[in-house]
Amino acid sequence: NIKMASDSPESLMTLCTDYCLRNLEGTLCYLLDNETLQLHPDIFLPSEICDKLVNEYVELVKTDSIFEPHESFFTLFSDPRSTRLARIHLREQIVQDQDLEAIRKQDLVELYLTNCEKLTAKSLQTLVSFSHTLISLSLFGCCNIFYEEENPGGCEDDCLVNPTRQVLVKDFTFEGFSRLRFLNLGRLIEGVNVETLLRPLASLAALDLSGIQLNDVGFLTQWKDTLVSLVLYNMDLSEEHIQVIAQLRKLRHLDISRDHLSSYYKFKLTRRVLNLFVENLVNLTSLDISGHTMLENCTIPSMEEKMGQTSIEPDKSSIAPFRGLKRPLQFLGLFETSLCRLTHIPAYKVSGDKNEEQVLNAIEAYTEHRPEITSRAINLLFDIARIERCSQLLRALQLVITALKCHKDDKNIQVTGSAALFYLTNSEYRTEQSVKLRRQVIQVVLNGMESYQEVTVQRNCCLTLCNFSIPDELEFQYRRVNELLLNILNQSRQDESIQRIAVHLCNALVCQVDNDHKEAVGKMGFVMTMLKLIQKKLADKTCDQVMEFSWSALWNITDETPDNCEMFLNYSGMKLFLECLKEFPEKQELHRNMLGLLGNVAEVKELRPQLMTSQFISVFSNLLESKADGIEVSYNACGVLSHIMFDGPEAWGVCEPHREEVVKRMWAAIQSWDINSRRNINYRSFEPILRLLPQGISPVSQHWATWALYNLVSVYPDKYCPLLIKEGGIPLLKDMIRMPSARQETKEMARKVIEHCGNFKEENMDTSR
């Protein structure tokens, strides 16, 4: 059950493996001479654990950018007396000749090497070390493993003139691999004689020759009594090939599919060929003919078709040759053929493009070794998720996640996969997804952003992240996601739409998070990045969402974070503030965001002297009369001035405007505001407001603070009454009421705040017994 699987926690084995791999030095190993990892001498690990360590290590290196690979990792498994390996799967650039060489003494039973392009003919010799135990071997996509370096001159001086060249090894065969049953040579390099290579193998059961062009496959008949699986994907077939295949009577799985876009194939499938397979291959349970063009009509005329419920019984088959089957096939590959759209198909599982089930079957079947097909299947899934409701959501998500992980560097899969994820994670499907599954989505999205600087991938990934609760669902990858977004925003040539989404995400990520998160992001260059964006928009005389989001993000990241406030001032933030005010005098949202940010700066005592210039004080004073965005601009300007006034007359370092004149304008502004104003602001703490209450040096600051509290507890009692009570605001208000210097109207307002909070407590008192 996929839903149950996605919700279940990781096994203890998986958690321990992951922890050990991330902390090798502190668990299984120590560092020899400060550089080489060594296994502790008293450790013995069985193959169940060693296999998992190696396979998980490969997965972590491939999919987790934070995980650091170790040069000497494979040497930990060099001695079979302390570590045992049996079944390992190695991929891509992670594995090199010396890694296989390090484990040559192990008795490997199963070795899968997939697209390991760094392996050379040195590794062929290492394979011989495993020959007496190996049962399964895959060399899929190891395109250099039959090449060795050769120095034509043979002397050192000659190397400078004639550097080493790659020479094809032609004398290697599987002589001595007496137990080998399963072999995958997919995408083997041209020039290797497959027949000579394979002849020593006595009893092959499964052979994959994907992407290899062989004119003569007659040698396959030597395994006619043992071969149960044959894959000839993308091999251009002929009548001779068909006659040989028909003799392999033990076959249970036959794959002669092809990528119909790759190159021109002369061979066309006919009714006679399918009849031949059905008659001769009586054990067949799985057949893949995807991508083939049918030379003649194999379908039953619709008038002869059995109507009624769709059936998988062979005698009702809409594909005529399959009426000869003794039982339905377990799998039938019909992707990118016209046959998949027929009514009665005699197979339990069909890959095709007719419906969601067929498309998911295609992604499942082809992901590992056929990214070119998989990307087209995911594209079909994208259309299904976009246009109609996806009925197998969890399966679809897991298949796309697997494809994106498996093909991190494949542009087509990253584009189609990231687009499909956007639709599969939207709010319509949210309730069906576990925390674990949504975290997996976030991981692959960030992988895509990291390894692909391509515009479409970046846009799709950013849009997908918008489907998550920010910052909550992204907090487990907080640093990484911020670094990636800042990297996007710092690129010299930017796509407008990506820029807008990235700034929106940055803003959401610094809203409602702890101060240590904000400080960390500030140190990453967040403040500087936002100011650069603002500078660029100013130069273009453009006030758009990017400009507004950038100021909003700065407002959020400076909230109760003095280091970020200081950065804002050090990077000429005030200059940009004045220029934006001058350039965009009518942009109310912009003014609100800018003043909110300056309110945060003004809360930092050490920074207030930098705001004490005639120019700044005049600007703040004039904004007291602004009616922009309701009361917000006026309120924030008054807040900035309230903190400056709080430092007393001796800190007022300017002749113009006079302190008393500004105080008068502040009183007038506060009295003009509607106490029931609904607010465009969100306080996590009242501490900066509460510190203005117990003082007599600036009654107007005290009044502004009291008005702010009264407004918030009146309009949003459920949110702000508990906050005020929790932060000790009631005793401070009571003390202020007793202060002779406080204005009468301020005291009246304070009483109303206390009364509101008292009523709130009574209404919400728990009376249940």
Side-chain angles (χ1 to χ4, degrees):
N1 182 322
I2 284 179
K3 185 167 175 68
M4 292 301 290
S6 73
D7 284 339
S8 59
E10 298 289 2
S11 69
L12 186 57
M13 174 77 153
T14 300
L15 292 171
C16 291
T17 306
D18 186 74
Y19 182 80
C20 288
L21 287 170
R22 292 178 190 278
N23 303 277
L24 279 171
E25 256 186 88
T27 53
L28 304 172
C29 306
Y30 66 95
L31 263 191
L32 183 68
D33 305 328
N34 276 337
E35 53 178 334
T36 313
L37 276 175
Q38 290 281 103
L39 212 60
H40 284 297
D42 55 349
I43 281 178
F44 174 81
L45 300 172
S47 62
E48 291 83 357
I49 290 175
C50 292
D51 290 350
K52 194 155 177 66
L53 281 168
V54 169
N55 295 332
E56 284 299 314
Y57 171 81
V58 170
E59 184 71 8
L60 280 174
V61 173
K62 194 169 169 350
T63 61
D64 190 338
S65 63
I66 301 160
F67 184 77
E68 285 293 323
H70 298 274
E71 211 169 290
S72 52
F73 177 76
F74 286 91
T75 60
L76 300 178
F77 305 91
S78 58
D79 188 353
R81 290 172 300 182
S82 55
T83 54
R84 293 280 172 85
L85 287 174
R87 294 175 170 81
I88 58 172
H89 298 214
L90 309 179
R91 301 185 68 90
E92 295 165 26
Q93 317 302 328
I94 297 161
V95 63
Q96 302 186 38
D97 290 326
Q98 63 264 31
D99 299 323
L100 272 191
E101 173 71 14
I103 59 169
R104 72 187 182 284
K105 292 179 184 171
Q106 294 286 354
D107 292 337
L108 290 185
V109 173
E110 186 175 284
L111 175 61
Y112 287 171
L113 302 170
T114 306
N115 295 322
C116 299
E117 294 178 4
K118 287 193 174 177
L119 296 183
T120 70
K122 286 178 188 167
S123 288
L124 285 181
Q125 297 316 309
T126 308
L127 287 183
V128 176
S129 312
F130 310 128
S131 61
H132 60 292
T133 53
L134 216 51
I135 292 172
S136 291
L137 173 66
S138 171
L139 300 178
F140 182 88
C142 299
C143 53
N144 296 310
I145 201 164
F146 279 88
Y147 279 114
E148 64 184 349
E149 288 184 352
E150 184 189 74
N151 178 3
C155 75
E156 268 186 53
D157 294 336
D158 205 36
C159 291
L160 303 171
V161 186
N162 298 309
T164 56
R165 59 195 175 103
Q166 301 290 322
V167 181
L168 197 61
V169 172
K170 296 191 176 179
D171 58 354
F172 177 85
T173 73
F174 285 110
E175 186 72 53
F177 287 73
S178 57
R179 302 185 67 191
L180 197 62
R181 299 285 179 276
F182 305 91
L183 180 61
N184 186 338
L185 294 176
R187 292 184 28 220
L188 186 69
I189 202 76
E190 271 185 56
V192 177
N193 187 320
V194 178
E195 183 178 352
T196 308
L197 187 68
L198 299 180
R199 191 179 293 123
L201 297 174
S203 46
L204 264 186
L207 181 63
D208 188 326
L209 298 174
S210 293
I212 302 171
Q213 297 310 322
L214 295 176
N215 294 329
D216 181 9
V217 290
F219 64 90
L220 293 177
T221 56
Q222 76 182 83
W223 302 294
K224 66 178 189 295
D225 296 326
T226 59
L227 205 62
V228 292
S229 172
L230 178 64
V231 179
L232 304 177
Y233 169 69
N234 265 356
M235 188 183 287
D236 197 9
L237 305 172
S238 66
E239 182 57 34
E240 288 74 26
H241 289 78
I242 299 303
Q243 292 305 323
V244 170
I245 292 168
Q247 294 176 57
L248 306 174
R249 292 174 177 270
K250 293 285 173 72
L251 278 185
R252 292 205 291 271
H253 171 63
L254 173 63
D255 183 344
I256 55 165
S257 64
R258 65 192 194 190
D259 175 5
H260 78 138
L261 296 182
S262 67
S263 57
Y264 177 72
Y265 293 100
K266 295 182 282 295
F267 179 77
K268 301 282 192 292
L269 256 187
T270 63
R271 193 173 185 142
R272 182 189 60 78
V273 169
L274 290 182
N275 276 326
L276 194 68
F277 289 163
V278 170
E279 285 164 23
N280 289 278
L281 309 178
V282 293
N283 296 312
L284 213 56
T285 59
S286 169
L287 174 66
D288 202 331
I289 54 172
S290 296
H292 274 282
T293 306
M294 302 302 296
L295 195 60
E296 57 198 1
N297 192 6
C298 281
T299 59
I300 299 291
S302 54
M303 60 194 71
E304 290 178 36
E305 234 178 7
K306 296 261 194 326
M307 287 300 116
Q309 205 170 354
T310 305
S311 172
I312 61 165
E313 291 310 315
D315 61 342
K316 293 178 184 167
S317 172
S318 302
I319 306 164
F322 294 151
R323 289 198 163 183
L325 288 167
K326 302 284 184 293
R327 67 197 77 80
L329 294 168
Q330 293 296 318
F331 176 83
L332 179 56
L334 299 175
F335 190 70
E336 295 180 322
T337 70
S338 55
L339 300 178
C340 71
R341 296 189 188 88
L342 297 171
T343 311
H344 305 302
I345 301 174
Y348 293 101
K349 209 171 201 177
V350 179
S351 73
D353 48 35
K354 178 185 177 183
N355 53 34
E356 183 185 343
E357 173 69 20
Q358 286 189 1
V359 168
L360 293 178
N361 290 340
I363 300 171
E364 190 170 43
Y366 309 129
T367 289
E368 177 81 31
H369 292 129
R370 301 178 194 177
E372 62 282 2
I373 306 285
T374 307
S375 68
R376 301 204 291 274
I378 293 175
N379 208 28
L380 292 167
L381 177 65
F382 162 74
D383 282 333
I384 292 165
R386 182 172 58 95
I387 298 161
E388 42 191 286
R389 187 174 169 82
C390 216
S391 60
Q392 297 184 54
L393 172 72
L394 297 176
R395 185 182 174 211
L397 256 180
Q398 283 163 335
L399 288 171
V400 174
I401 289 169
T402 302
L404 285 166
K405 273 183 171 177
C406 193
H407 301 287
K408 198 173 156 188
D409 302 317
D410 186 295
K411 179 185 166 183
N412 289 333
I413 284 192
Q414 291 300 320
V415 169
T416 56
S418 56
L421 282 184
F422 171 69
Y423 286 100
L424 292 169
T425 54
N426 68 22
S427 54
E428 185 187 357
Y429 298 119
R430 181 80 172 268
T431 54
E432 297 172 49
Q433 295 163 15
S434 66
V435 171
K436 182 175 160 188
L437 194 60
R438 285 176 76 79
R439 284 190 167 196
Q440 286 175 350
V441 173
I442 291 164
Q443 293 275 26
V444 292
V445 163
L446 299 183
N447 286 347
M449 289 170 74
E450 220 151 37
S451 52
Y452 247 91
Q453 302 305 314
E454 204 273 336
V455 171
T456 318
V457 174
Q458 297 272 343
R459 186 188 297 113
N460 291 350
C461 289
C462 285
L463 281 169
T464 302
L465 290 178
C466 293
N467 284 338
F468 291 82
S469 296
I470 304 170
D472 307 353
E473 287 189 283
L474 297 183
E475 201 156 0
F476 81 107
Q477 291 281 291
Y478 194 77
R479 183 178 185 87
R480 187 179 174 206
V481 71
N482 273 294
E483 280 175 346
L484 285 166
L485 290 168
L486 292 179
N487 185 41
I488 288 172
L489 292 171
N490 282 319
Q491 286 163 14
S492 50
R493 295 181 67 184
Q494 288 174 354
D495 176 270
E496 274 289 322
S497 62
I498 297 178
Q499 192 184 62
R500 189 172 61 252
I501 304 160
V503 176
H504 161 71
L505 284 166
C506 280
N507 187 22
L509 278 160
V510 292
C511 185
Q512 300 294 298
V513 289
D514 295 338
N515 292 0
D516 54 348
H517 275 334
K518 291 180 185 178
E519 282 172 18
V521 175
K523 288 188 178 80
M524 283 181 214
F526 188 101
V527 176
M528 170 76 94
T529 301
M530 293 303 143
L531 289 171
K532 274 185 188 166
L533 289 174
I534 291 165
Q535 177 87 60
K536 195 169 180 307
K537 291 293 173 186
L538 250 176
D540 298 341
K541 299 189 183 308
T542 307
C543 183
D544 57 6
Q545 281 186 314
V546 171
M547 171 74 99
E548 287 178 8
F549 283 153
S550 298
W551 279 107
S552 179
L554 287 171
W555 181 6
N556 282 320
I557 202 172
T558 53
D559 180 33
E560 294 184 53
T561 317
D563 286 0
N564 291 342
C565 293
E566 189 173 5
M567 266 188 246
F568 170 78
L569 294 178
N570 291 347
Y571 298 144
S572 310
M574 290 304 291
K575 180 172 174 283
L576 286 178
F577 161 69
L578 294 173
E579 287 174 3
C580 283
L581 265 183
K582 187 179 172 190
E583 186 64 48
F584 309 111
E586 304 304 316
K587 295 290 182 180
Q588 301 190 1
E589 184 84 2
L590 184 70
H591 295 184
R592 175 176 72 87
N593 293 345
M594 293 195 300
L595 264 293
L597 154 64
L598 292 184
N600 291 339
V601 176
E603 287 170 10
V604 184
K605 184 176 174 61
E606 297 74 29
L607 301 180
R608 285 201 282 273
Q610 294 188 53
L611 302 180
M612 184 52 74
T613 70
S614 289
Q615 187 182 23
F616 293 152
I617 299 296
S618 297
V619 167
F620 300 144
S621 302
N622 292 336
L623 286 169
L624 287 169
E625 277 132 44
S626 168
K627 295 288 177 274
D629 202 18
I631 66 164
E632 296 303 328
V633 171
S634 177
Y635 170 88
N636 283 325
C638 201
V640 172
L641 291 166
S642 292
H643 288 286
I644 291 170
M645 294 292 172
F646 176 63
D647 292 336
E650 65 279 7
W652 195 264
V654 296
C655 301
E656 286 292 327
H658 292 298
R659 188 171 186 273
E660 292 71 30
E661 181 196 326
V662 176
V663 167
K664 214 157 101 184
R665 291 178 78 174
M666 287 167 73
W667 279 109
I670 298 168
Q671 280 155 352
S672 73
W673 301 336
D674 177 3
I675 198 66
N676 296 313
S677 298
R678 298 196 71 76
R679 305 303 307 285
N680 226 331
I681 201 162
N682 186 19
Y683 283 101
R684 288 188 309 132
S685 168
F686 282 146
E687 195 279 324
I689 292 176
L690 295 175
R691 74 172 79 132
L692 299 176
L693 294 178
Q695 50 91 21
I697 204 156
S698 174
V700 72
S701 305
Q702 204 174 42
H703 193 67
W704 174 83
T706 311
W707 190 96
L709 295 174
Y710 184 29
N711 164 255
L712 293 166
V713 298
S714 305
V715 180
Y716 308 101
D718 291 356
K719 180 172 183 181
Y720 290 119
C721 286
L723 184 63
L724 185 60
I725 293 163
K726 181 181 150 206
E727 294 193 334
I730 304 300
L732 285 173
L733 287 164
K734 286 178 177 173
D735 290 347
M736 187 261 282
I737 290 169
R738 289 193 286 271
M739 286 176 68
S741 59
R743 284 267 199 113
Q744 200 54 42
E745 57 199 295
T746 309
K747 294 178 181 183
E748 281 303 311
M749 208 172 264
R751 287 189 188 98
K752 287 175 183 171
V753 175
I754 294 165
E755 191 183 326
H756 258 291
C757 289
N759 292 343
F760 176 83
K761 273 180 86 172
E762 280 175 28
E763 282 169 24
N764 290 277
M765 197 173 286
D766 187 2
T767 56
S768 59
R769 290 181 182 276

